[in-house]
Amino acid sequence: MDFVTNDNPFAGRVICGCCGSTFGRKVCNSIDERLKRTIWQCNSKYKVKGKIGCGNRHINEKVLYQVFVDAFNELVKNIDYYMTKWEKQIESEDILERVTAKRFINVFNETKPIENFDAGLYFKLVEKIMVYEDGISVELLDGSEIKCA
Ligand SMILES: [Zn+2]
């Protein structure tokens, strides 16, 4: 059974790197609390009855939260590189690119590494999360892509 809620930060934003479908949320219940978990899997996994669907792996929701924290901290670590990029984008003829670059500069002007997921930052920065068989990549609204193993 799939449960997708609109207020979940990953709804519609986690994309399968194998087939391009979105990932859906699935809660695996268990009488044993320790075995209870929430995973995300490709919506094309069981698309056609009797046929093998997309073979991409599923991912634990906890991992998705951690991936954003890691990606964010990766940006903070290389902030000089990204600031230079955004300062160039501010000169762009594309208004959307200019607005986005300005927003990113504001966000990172006084930012330190984070330890926990921050939904406010997430929605300001992330366009989508691509799940590949061998890794995850966070794609940001400014066009940057941050790969996580
Ligand atoms: Zn897929």
Side-chain angles (χ1 to χ4, degrees):
M1 201 164 131
D2 280 342
F3 258 104
V4 177
T5 51
N6 285 330
D7 55 358
N8 187 290
F10 307 118
R13 288 172 191 247
V14 181
I15 311 294
C16 179
C18 292
C19 73
S21 299
T22 49
F23 267 42
R25 190 167 189 256
K26 193 180 176 199
V27 180
C28 307
N29 278 313
S30 173
I31 298 164
D32 188 339
E33 275 294 318
R34 289 167 302 172
L35 296 177
K36 220 172 177 178
R37 62 198 186 120
T38 303
I39 61 158
W40 288 74
Q41 68 181 23
C42 179
N43 282 330
S44 294
K45 194 173 170 74
Y46 306 110
K47 207 173 188 178
V48 187
K49 225 180 172 180
K51 278 192 183 172
I52 297 169
C54 178
N56 203 357
R57 68 207 170 101
H58 64 253
I59 193 154
N60 198 309
E61 189 169 71
K62 280 184 196 146
V63 174
L64 289 174
Y65 284 111
Q66 189 57 45
V67 157
F68 174 71
V69 172
D70 291 350
F72 185 89
N73 292 338
E74 190 63 24
L75 273 171
V76 172
K77 210 168 88 189
N78 300 295
I79 197 61
D80 291 345
Y81 165 80
Y82 287 103
M83 278 293 180
T84 310
K85 178 180 171 176
W86 298 325
E87 272 153 17
K88 261 185 216 145
Q89 284 178 339
I90 272 190
E91 318 276 303
S92 164
E93 282 177 17
D94 182 340
I95 182 151
L96 185 65
E97 202 172 304
R98 286 204 304 271
V99 170
T100 306
K102 212 172 262 178
R103 180 160 17 114
F104 273 57
I105 288 173
N106 284 336
V107 168
F108 284 95
N109 243 343
E110 286 177 48
T111 304
K112 294 183 175 75
I114 54 172
E115 276 176 35
N116 298 307
F117 183 81
D118 183 319
L121 288 174
Y122 173 87
F123 283 113
K124 270 185 205 155
L125 305 174
V126 175
E127 187 189 355
K128 59 186 176 186
I129 298 173
M130 299 293 297
V131 177
Y132 300 97
E133 284 182 77
D134 59 348
I136 298 174
S137 136
V138 180
E139 295 191 10
L140 303 179
L141 291 163
D142 72 329
S144 301
E145 190 183 341
I146 298 158
K147 288 194 171 76
C148 304

